[in-house]
Amino acid sequence: MASSSGLHAARARGGNARQLVHELLRARIVELELPPGTPLSENELAAELGVSRTPVRESLILLAEEGLVDVYPQLGTFVSRIRERDIASAQFVREALELTSLRDGVERAVERDLLELRALLAAQTDAERRADPEAFFRLDEEFHARLMATGGHPEAWSVVQHAKAHLDRARRLSLPLEDQLALLIRQHTDVVDAIESRDATAADTALRGHLRQVFADVETVRTQHPELFADSDAPPRPRREPRKRPTAR
């Protein structure tokens, strides 16, 4: 989880304050440390992070441009609620890049690639057995990054990561769902099995279905936490309430 101590250490190494504050706040939003609807105070954030209000204000402007915060005149700045249109846009980018890379991966994969992917599957199974969704999420990211590296496009993973901030919030909310981790591991395994078999069609079908699982998951999570989601066209005006971290039921 992103921490202010990491910010202080980075600043001591000469890091740019605005960039560091932006990265820290963005991580807190994506990791749900700051859940949708959380009010954000420039003064409070500046005091907590040990910086002036200027880098905080500039960071909030950047986050607003990314759609991760909403600014309401006379009311304040709030972490944006999750919008289906943002999830769909992020999913479009992710699917296009990952599926294209996967086709190359089926042709290029060598034994070392398969061993590394299988090792990540084993680590995911261990995280599932320990009921550790946060560890699983990190391993899931490593798995997909490894898939893109197998396809010869490791540098494209950073593009995917930047595009899927909204998607990641929804994914994190879905991880505590019953049998969710086991389902995702099975889907990952199907992808690796297809790569090992050099079956491009099966690999494409398996990964496409896996990536689109998020749409069904969002509907489930939305019924449990409707307050975290907003209508695409008319997000509700927030109310200033104490922040709390959501948990799936």
Side-chain angles (χ1 to χ4, degrees):
M1 187 172 293
S3 67
S4 56
S5 61
L7 171 67
H8 298 323
R11 289 192 70 200
R13 295 192 298 269
N16 177 272
R18 183 186 69 176
Q19 179 182 354
L20 295 172
V21 171
H22 172 254
E23 291 174 356
L24 176 63
L25 293 180
R26 190 178 194 275
R28 286 183 173 182
I29 291 171
V30 173
E31 294 171 12
L32 299 179
E33 182 181 349
L34 295 173
T38 300
L40 301 174
S41 163
E42 286 185 14
N43 289 333
E44 291 177 6
L45 288 171
E48 176 190 349
L49 301 177
V51 298
S52 70
R53 289 178 57 188
T54 299
V56 173
R57 183 183 307 111
E58 293 173 344
S59 298
L60 292 177
I61 291 172
L62 292 175
L63 291 169
E65 291 175 352
E66 295 181 74
L68 290 172
V69 304
D70 292 323
V71 180
Y72 296 86
Q74 286 79 53
L75 188 57
T77 300
F78 295 78
V79 176
S80 66
R81 286 177 167 79
I82 299 172
R83 291 180 277 262
E84 290 184 16
R85 68 182 182 194
D86 293 329
I87 294 175
S89 295
Q91 179 66 17
F92 175 81
V93 174
R94 182 177 196 186
E95 192 171 309
L97 291 175
E98 290 204 41
L99 290 176
T100 299
S101 179
L102 179 66
R103 287 193 286 272
D104 294 334
V106 171
E107 297 179 0
R108 294 168 53 98
V110 296
E111 183 177 1
R112 179 179 176 180
D113 295 317
L114 293 168
L115 287 173
E116 290 181 353
L117 288 168
R118 297 286 185 194
L120 286 168
L121 290 177
Q124 289 171 13
T125 299
D126 181 62
E128 189 267 338
R129 183 170 57 252
R130 291 184 285 108
D132 189 343
E134 190 62 34
F136 182 90
F137 187 91
R138 293 193 299 270
L139 291 164
D140 181 89
E141 293 286 280
E142 290 183 40
F143 178 82
H144 285 274
R146 183 65 244 172
L147 278 181
M148 297 204 74
T150 299
H153 306 286
E155 69 286 343
W157 177 244
S158 62
V159 179
V160 174
Q161 281 189 306
H162 182 76
K164 66 186 182 70
H166 297 282
L167 188 62
D168 284 348
R169 293 200 292 167
R171 289 171 59 215
R172 284 179 181 275
L173 284 170
S174 72
L175 290 182
L177 295 175
E178 185 177 0
D179 297 327
Q180 179 74 356
L181 302 189
L183 170 62
L184 298 178
I185 292 169
R186 289 196 299 271
Q187 293 174 341
H188 286 167
T189 302
D190 289 343
V191 174
V192 178
D193 288 346
I195 294 173
E196 188 169 23
S197 300
R198 305 292 182 185
D199 189 335
T201 299
D204 184 276
T205 299
L207 184 57
R208 190 185 303 273
H210 169 64
L211 294 178
R212 293 186 179 183
Q213 176 69 36
V214 70
F215 293 121
D217 295 340
V218 164
E219 289 307 308
T220 300
V221 173
R222 186 168 189 157
T223 63
Q224 299 176 352
H225 298 288
E227 75 281 1
L228 302 180
F229 292 80
D231 181 82
S232 296
D233 299 318
R237 287 176 64 83
R239 294 178 296 175
R240 286 192 171 274
E241 299 174 342
R243 76 174 62 165
K244 59 182 178 179
R245 187 184 180 90
T247 55
R249 294 194 294 269

